[in-house]
Amino acid sequence: MDERTLTAEEREKALAEITGDEQTPNEMLEMYRSSNERKNASEVRTYKTILGVMCAVVALLAVAVIVVSVGWITEQGTIVTEIQTVEIPTIVTEYIAIDPTSEYDHELGEDTFTLSDSNYGTILMYALQNVGKNEYDEECFTVDEETGYITYDDGETYSIMGIDVSVYQGDIDWDAVKEAGVEFVIIRCGYRGYVTGTVNEDANFRANIKGAKEAGLKVGVYFFSQALDVEEALEEAEFCLDLVDGYELDYPIFFDWEVVIDADGDTARTAYIDPQQLTDNFLTFAARVEIDGYTAGIYANKKTAVWKYDLSRVDDYMMWFAGYSDTPTLYYDLQMWQYSSSGTVDGISGNVDLNIAFVQR
């Protein structure tokens, strides 16, 4: 072949001879183009598949994030960017629940006093701060040698004579009691059985309160408690309120819990009750009677007051102290004192508890 320039026809013929293919260059180009289009279409489908999978993964991750976020918010609460003030309504319901976690002061003062125990002998006790102290002057107590009656007068505070009674005093001539100089009486309205746990009315309560009121005596009542918890204490308060309904009381409804030593060896249901539980029981009892306009008080001897009550939580309530001596030996403040269980008073057969209440001039 010479070196002259080939025509288009000659180039096509020469190309066919080289490739051994009778196809024209245009046909080959068309085949090449078709092949590329098929290849491109396959790649596009592959890319679409990959993109679809990636979108599905992203969607699943988004759903997971939403689920986790909703769960966290439900568990932790909604986050707010600023402090919000919420007004809490104060609703007084018929029944009061006492919160045992309320703050109270257990700090001890520098003062000390002693208690006597049958097993340990004399015990040194540190006084509680912010609890009222007994400031009565021992020199101002006077004992009548003939009757055994105790009176008190320091010029600012004086005493009035009282008794406390239950079914064990039998039928009482209340006019004779009044003539004997008695000015007030605390009447047992009921009790809870220390073994059975049943709540009972004192058999002579109605006759006693009616007679005492008609004789012109000032009156208060007490309930012998064996409540195990605040629910039972509330039941006892309701029981007292039903009994005194219709009567005006001059003195509190006293909560009388005592250590019971049974001659037959039966264990009292509240034996070894925790002091905080006993205190909660009284506070529940007190809160309920206060709703109906009455006041509450505690009856206790020295060991019960100091060992079984948290006095820092009940210092605002009237303390009726039982201690048989010529002067009240309770270190802390008291407003009423039962000083004898073997007194005699006209109008009552047998012995009766003698008391005085302290009055400010």
Side-chain angles (χ1 to χ4, degrees), residues 113-125 303 307:
F113 59 93
T114 60
L115 288 174
S116 179
D117 182 77
S118 59
N119 293 319
Y120 287 89
T122 301
I123 298 171
L124 183 67
M125 301 289 295
K303 288 184 181 179
W307 286 352

Side-chain angles (χ1 to χ4, degrees), residues 238-253:
E238 293 283 356
F239 188 80
C240 292
L241 291 171
D242 287 342
L243 290 176
V244 301
D245 184 35
Y247 288 102
E248 290 187 7
L249 299 182
D250 307 284
Y251 286 93
I253 300 176

Side-chain angles (χ1 to χ4, degrees), residues 208-230:
N208 282 338
I209 193 170
K210 182 176 183 294
K213 280 286 189 180
E214 290 177 349
L217 295 175
K218 295 182 178 181
V219 174
V221 302
Y222 74 93
F223 183 90
F224 178 79
S225 173
Q226 282 288 291
L228 292 172
D229 49 38
V230 295

Side-chain angles (χ1 to χ4, degrees), residues 301-354:
N301 62 21
K302 184 160 54 175
K303 288 184 181 179
T304 299
V306 175
W307 286 352
K308 298 302 289 185
Y309 282 102
D310 181 351
L311 294 179
S312 66
R313 298 174 66 193
V314 301
D315 192 40
D316 292 335
Y317 293 92
M318 189 171 188
M319 174 60 71
W320 177 16
F321 170 62
Y324 305 147
S325 58
D326 291 342
T327 60
T329 57
L330 181 65
Y331 177 84
Y332 297 104
D333 195 17
L334 62 144
Q335 293 75 43
M336 188 182 295
W337 176 32
Q338 182 189 85
Y339 60 87
S340 175
S341 61
S342 57
T344 57
V345 173
D346 291 344
I348 298 177
S349 299
N351 293 334
V352 65
D353 296 337
L354 301 177

Side-chain angles (χ1 to χ4, degrees), residues 258-276:
E258 304 175 31
V259 174
V260 177
I261 301 175
D262 188 274
D264 296 329
D266 291 327
T267 300
R269 68 199 310 265
T270 60
Y272 314 114
I273 189 171
D274 180 87
Q276 297 306 328

